[in-house]
Amino acid sequence: MSFLLLYAIIANLLLRRAPTAAANITAVFAFGDSILDSGNNNHLVTAFRADHRPYGQDLPEKTPTGRFSDGKLTTDFIVSLLGLKEMLPPYLDPALNDTGLLTGASFASAGSGLDDLTARAVNVLTMGDQLKLFEKGLERIRRKVGAKRGRHHVVGNGLFVIAVGSNDVARSYYGLPFMKTFTTSGYHDFLLKNFESFILRLYKMGARKFGLSGLPPVGCLPIQMTLNLSPANFLKRVCVNQQNVDSQAYNTKLQALISRLQVRLKGSKIAYFDAFKPMMDMINNPQKYGIDHTMKGCCGMGLLEEGPLCNELTPTCPNPSNYLFWDAIHPSQKAYHTLAKVFHNNVLPLLL
């Protein structure tokens, strides 16, 4: 009886501690590309938009919001797990008032990258543009709650989630012949130098808690498999191994950068989010996740369709939860939920 009583007391304490720990994070601010864009591109003149059906078909209101998925994104699940709000709104949404901004917003823009050329080629927000918007948001926060509370309570205790780089390597580096003036390693270094500058600027604005995502297995994105079909595997869809090797090399360098920044930026907590391993596990062991299809997306044939090519005239699969990918690039809501659980279990504890 005494052992059972002790076990019950410990379990109760752990349950009570969870919300207290989560309370250390007062807001979530997201930056990067379509993985975290909850609708900012709706307000830009660009083809890289998801404000049309069938996007958003599995959201509560079953309407497109600009999220590149059938439903919620990773950051939507994160803010819900933290008890901040149901979903993370886009900063450019006119409906986002100052009170809502206090618990966070997404500044990410689909199609963006660490290389400004990547974003400008499709007329979306560069990472610098996203920082400028955050500066405006920070001024709104100061006016709402005062400079001191805004800097320390909202920003200092806010979680800054950044996922970017996939467009740079997949679309700019692999897709544009003139980019081959860079070696792969040299281009990674160029991207990470820009990533470092971005973090330093956020730090100067008061940011202290960072969750930085590495690259996914780029070679396993359905669109990359389609664009790199070889005569030997024309009828068999396989991941592009070299692109996955490149992704891992980039991720290794990113982790080294994070280690250096952690020492350099006093009072900061910077955690690496490994998106590569869980994505590969879903690809190699789909039965663990209740997934049947990992080589193509749910929208259309799932080979090239994304953004404007995935539209209301495009047929979709009966059940997106059976798919790792919603379209030819972006994960399904089910996959995003899995990634959110990995983030919650492996990254958040390092930041609290």
Side-chain angles (χ1 to χ4, degrees):
M1 287 294 292
S2 60
F3 173 79
L4 291 175
L5 179 60
L6 179 61
Y7 178 85
I9 292 172
I10 292 173
N12 187 46
L13 288 173
L14 288 174
L15 287 172
R16 289 184 178 182
R17 185 183 176 186
T20 303
N24 289 333
I25 293 177
T26 55
V28 173
F29 301 102
F31 301 84
D33 56 30
S34 55
I35 299 300
L36 301 180
D37 182 1
S38 53
N40 285 311
N41 278 20
N42 296 358
H43 309 280
L44 305 177
V45 181
T46 177
F48 279 59
R49 293 164 64 142
D51 56 346
H52 54 268
R53 297 183 187 278
Y55 287 99
Q57 68 175 38
D58 292 318
L59 287 170
E61 296 182 0
K62 300 187 182 302
T63 57
T65 60
R67 289 167 170 81
F68 281 77
S69 185
D70 57 306
K72 295 181 179 181
L73 307 178
T74 297
T75 37
D76 293 320
F77 290 113
I78 290 172
V79 294
S80 179
L81 286 167
L82 291 172
L84 296 175
K85 55 182 82 182
E86 192 60 31
M87 295 194 293
L88 190 67
Y91 178 75
L92 291 180
D93 185 352
L96 177 65
N97 58 31
D98 292 348
T99 300
L101 183 58
L102 294 180
T103 51
S106 171
F107 296 82
S109 180
S112 191
L114 292 163
D115 183 345
D116 283 355
L117 174 66
T118 303
R120 288 174 179 153
V122 291
N123 199 41
V124 299
L125 300 175
T126 65
M127 296 300 285
D129 293 333
Q130 294 177 37
L131 274 179
K132 289 176 183 177
L133 286 178
F134 179 69
E135 286 177 329
K136 293 180 180 179
L138 187 55
E139 183 57 36
R140 289 172 59 183
I141 291 171
R142 292 191 189 109
R143 289 199 302 266
K144 181 69 176 177
V145 299
K148 184 175 181 180
R149 187 182 172 207
R151 183 175 180 86
H152 296 287
H153 179 70
V154 179
V155 180
N157 286 330
L159 169 60
F160 289 75
V161 182
I162 307 169
V164 67
S166 296
N167 291 317
D168 295 307
V169 296
R171 203 174 74 239
S172 295
Y173 187 71
Y174 298 136
L176 301 175
F178 65 84
M179 294 298 289
K180 298 307 180 187
T181 53
F182 281 100
T183 63
T184 304
S185 181
Y187 191 58
H188 289 171
D189 291 340
F190 167 71
L191 296 178
L192 289 168
K193 182 178 179 181
N194 291 342
F195 207 162
E196 180 178 14
S197 297
F198 187 84
I199 298 301
L200 292 176
R201 289 178 66 183
L202 277 177
Y203 180 80
K204 288 180 180 178
M205 294 180 200
R208 292 297 182 267
K209 294 183 175 73
F210 301 89
L212 310 184
S213 176
L215 293 179
V218 171
C220 291
L221 300 180
I223 196 169
Q224 294 304 107
M225 287 188 272
T226 301
L227 295 175
N228 290 274
L229 284 174
S230 66
N233 291 308
F234 187 74
L235 297 178
K236 182 181 179 182
R237 294 180 63 76
V238 295
C239 295
V240 186
N241 183 63
Q242 186 57 53
Q243 293 186 7
N244 284 349
V245 170
D246 293 345
S247 297
Q248 289 176 300
Y250 172 93
N251 290 343
T252 298
K253 288 187 175 184
L254 174 58
Q255 291 174 78
L257 172 61
I258 289 173
S259 296
R260 294 194 300 273
L261 287 173
Q262 186 65 81
V263 173
R264 179 180 176 185
L265 303 182
K266 304 301 181 184
S268 68
K269 292 183 179 181
I270 310 174
Y272 172 71
F273 174 49
D274 186 349
F276 190 99
K277 287 182 181 178
M279 289 288 287
M280 284 304 301
D281 195 45
M282 284 186 268
I283 291 167
N284 293 327
N285 303 290
Q287 67 284 350
K288 283 173 52 178
Y289 304 91
I291 293 173
D292 297 324
H293 304 279
T294 61
M295 299 285 108
K296 62 180 181 179
C298 168
C299 187
M301 295 181 67
L303 309 181
L304 290 168
E305 296 89 342
E306 63 91 21
L309 297 180
C310 176
N311 55 61
E312 60 184 350
L313 300 178
T314 311
T316 58
C317 66
N319 188 0
S321 65
N322 287 337
Y323 283 70
L324 171 57
F325 293 98
W326 160 247
D327 61 19
I329 296 178
H330 305 98
S332 63
Q333 175 176 250
K334 184 170 187 177
Y336 276 129
H337 186 237
T338 298
L339 293 172
K341 287 189 289 185
V342 173
F343 188 97
H344 184 267
N345 294 335
N346 298 345
V347 178
L348 275 182
L350 302 176
L351 301 174
L352 298 174

